[in-house]
Amino acid sequence: MPAQASTSRSDAPPLTERQEARRRRILRASAQLACRGGFDAVQMREVAESSQVALGTLYRYFPSKVHLLVATMRDQLERLHGTLRKRPPAGDSAAERVAETLMRAFFALQREPELADAMVRALTFADRSVSPEVDQVSRQTTAIILDAMGQDDPSPEQLAVVRVVEHTWLSALITWLSGRASIAQVQVDIETVCRLIDLTGGERE
């Protein structure tokens, strides 16, 4: 398949309004196909047809299906972040707010399990060529957690804890998707790891 550089990468020039609209159509088509049939249902030719772009154009934006689905996950998390900002978590402590936020993210993904499975599979399949897209997913997840903490200037120790929380959340999502964990177990695991946040001081005074 073509190996052009993706315009979603951090070192690419900013997209024009028309290019951004085209990219959003592609991501929407990817999500719709994944919702219908998971990872295998997302075929690049069908994505191109659904988003009304040429196949070569699609590959210029996303060199592979894995690139596309990882970018789709970042887009879904960005949308979720917007929703969370409109209705922030209500817990008294930073740990409680982060746990509530991550469970809301989990339940949002649970509503479309085929899409969630496709995106998570793409993350697990991603090699070094997909690192920029994977980094964007991580940065978006970090931003969601820091917002829930009420933290805009985290210490290195707090960032380390956030990474552990992210890893646990993703692992819990994978085990749930594979049928190896119940929702109740996912919640216990997330609430447990989030207690580390308060050990670092949570938000700054």
Side-chain angles (χ1 to χ4, degrees):
M1 63 181 60
Q4 297 95 330
S6 168
T7 56
S8 68
R9 291 166 178 263
S10 58
D11 58 354
L15 298 179
T16 65
E17 185 176 340
R18 183 177 180 181
Q19 288 171 328
E20 182 59 32
R22 183 182 297 128
R23 182 177 181 277
R24 298 214 66 80
R25 289 204 312 273
I26 292 169
L27 293 172
R28 186 165 56 247
S30 168
Q32 289 172 344
L33 287 168
C35 284
R36 294 174 197 160
F39 185 85
D40 292 337
V42 181
Q43 300 297 323
M44 297 297 271
R45 187 171 297 279
E46 290 190 35
V47 172
E49 291 174 358
S50 297
S51 57
Q52 297 180 319
V53 301
L55 185 59
T57 299
L58 172 59
Y59 277 116
R60 285 198 294 274
Y61 280 78
F62 302 103
S64 73
K65 179 166 76 170
V66 170
H67 287 81
L68 173 57
L69 281 168
V70 173
T72 300
M73 185 166 194
R74 190 253 182 175
D75 184 60
Q76 294 292 312
L77 289 171
E78 190 175 58
R79 290 169 182 267
L80 174 66
H81 198 181
T83 300
L84 290 166
R85 281 174 167 165
K86 293 176 183 176
R87 188 166 64 89
D92 293 330
S93 70
E96 289 174 353
R97 292 194 299 274
V98 172
E100 179 187 335
T101 293
L102 293 179
M103 285 309 299
R104 282 167 64 180
F106 177 82
F107 288 129
L109 292 170
Q110 182 195 23
R111 287 193 288 272
E112 296 291 352
E114 293 278 14
L115 172 60
D117 182 68
M119 296 186 300
V120 170
R121 285 178 65 184
L123 273 179
T124 59
F125 293 157
D127 58 21
R128 289 186 179 181
S129 72
V130 198
S131 290
E133 289 80 5
V134 173
D135 287 345
Q136 287 176 348
V137 168
S138 180
R139 284 195 296 271
Q140 186 63 59
T141 308
T142 297
I144 289 172
I145 294 172
L146 291 176
D147 264 10
M149 290 170 63
Q151 177 61 260
D152 57 10
D153 185 23
S155 67
E157 182 184 15
Q158 287 169 327
L159 285 175
V161 168
V162 168
R163 287 194 297 272
V164 173
V165 171
E166 287 181 36
H167 295 328
T168 302
W169 181 75
L170 181 58
S171 176
L173 181 59
I174 291 171
T175 55
W176 174 76
L177 286 167
S178 65
R180 294 183 287 119
S182 66
I183 294 174
Q185 185 61 57
V186 167
Q187 184 159 359
V188 168
D189 290 352
I190 289 174
E191 289 175 349
T192 299
V193 75
C194 284
R195 293 192 190 109
L196 292 173
I197 292 170
D198 287 345
L199 297 179
T200 67
E203 64 252 87
R204 293 190 190 276
E205 299 296 334

